[in-house]
Amino acid sequence: MSDPMNSVGFDLDLTLADTRAGIAATFEEVAARIGVRIDTAVVLSRLGPPLEWELAHWMPEEEVPVVAGLYRGLYASIAVPVTTPMPGAREAVRAVRKAGGRVIVVTAKNVHDATRTVEFLGLEVDEVAGSVFGAAKGTALAAFGAAAYVGDHVADIDAARAGGAFSVAVATGPCSKGELRDHGADVILGDLTEFTEWFEGWRTSPVLA
């Protein structure tokens, strides 16, 4: 029987999944096809926001929807096969399930590619919500009943607040521990290898976390 007090939401890119190689390869293929220079190192340095936001840095606004469609059409075959779990990701999900909790992935990535990624990595989750960013993630978190939300971006702290969840930040993405702390994360972990120990303490004594 599931325990809603132990249910947890996770971001996907650079929280559960190391998608950097796949994202870079997909952007490189898109750039080659449309003849536009895209610096993938810069792209990877600011992962988190929606794809359209990133594309807008490299091309006129009116071209973004078509190029976004091209990118998404390539992602499953190029990016998913080279995606790997972030350190501690599988153990973190298992810890929640072992405690009787449910797991939701809430991400800016579209739901189809997010689901493909989760399935490719073999992560046992109950639900995937896609195409939401920042505070807009709060609706999915609240509807699912997530007691905590784990993410690597300052916008994931906004998501936790909007969803009434405890904000757990991991310093594995573009935001430093200082930035995550200044933005108001409830707890900051180096990465998900620290999650299980924290979670065991928090779920049994959340007031003290």
Side-chain angles (χ1 to χ4, degrees):
M1 185 174 181
S2 64
D3 182 349
M5 289 303 297
N6 292 332
S7 295
V8 176
F10 290 89
D11 177 49
L12 185 59
D13 295 296
L14 299 185
T15 298
L16 287 175
D18 190 343
T19 52
R20 288 171 291 192
I23 287 173
T26 308
F27 267 101
E28 287 166 0
E29 179 63 21
V30 167
R33 292 194 183 198
I34 67 175
V36 171
R37 178 186 174 275
I38 297 177
D39 188 333
T40 57
V42 174
V43 170
L44 296 181
S45 74
R46 54 191 180 205
L47 287 183
L51 170 63
E52 286 81 1
W53 294 19
E54 184 58 45
L55 290 173
H57 290 291
W58 307 103
M59 63 198 61
E61 184 177 351
E62 63 271 16
E63 297 178 14
V64 167
V66 171
V67 179
L70 172 62
Y71 177 99
R72 291 186 176 116
L74 295 168
Y75 193 90
S77 61
I78 295 177
V80 173
V82 296
T83 299
T84 57
M86 292 295 285
R90 290 194 174 102
E91 293 81 359
V93 171
R94 282 199 294 263
V96 175
R97 304 200 70 86
K98 183 179 178 181
R102 300 169 68 235
V103 176
I104 183 173
V105 172
V106 188
T107 174
K109 192 182 297 299
N110 70 89
V111 69
H112 301 296
D113 288 330
T115 301
R116 290 186 185 104
T117 300
V118 167
E119 291 176 348
F120 177 77
L121 296 179
L123 299 174
E124 188 181 354
V125 309
D126 298 281
E127 190 173 322
V128 176
S131 300
V132 283
F133 180 67
K137 293 182 175 183
T139 300
L141 291 169
F144 186 78
Y149 182 59
V150 187
D152 63 277
H153 198 284
V154 291
D156 294 323
I157 301 169
D158 297 333
R161 294 282 177 270
F166 194 85
S167 171
V168 183
V170 286
T172 50
C175 302
S176 67
K177 284 186 176 182
E179 290 172 314
L180 296 168
R181 184 179 301 109
D182 291 345
H183 205 75
D186 292 313
V187 66
I188 301 170
L189 307 177
D191 60 29
L192 285 180
T193 63
E194 301 174 14
F195 176 85
T196 299
E197 182 178 357
W198 169 81
F199 180 67
E200 287 301 313
W202 175 77
R203 73 182 187 85
T204 55
S205 186
V207 175
L208 301 178

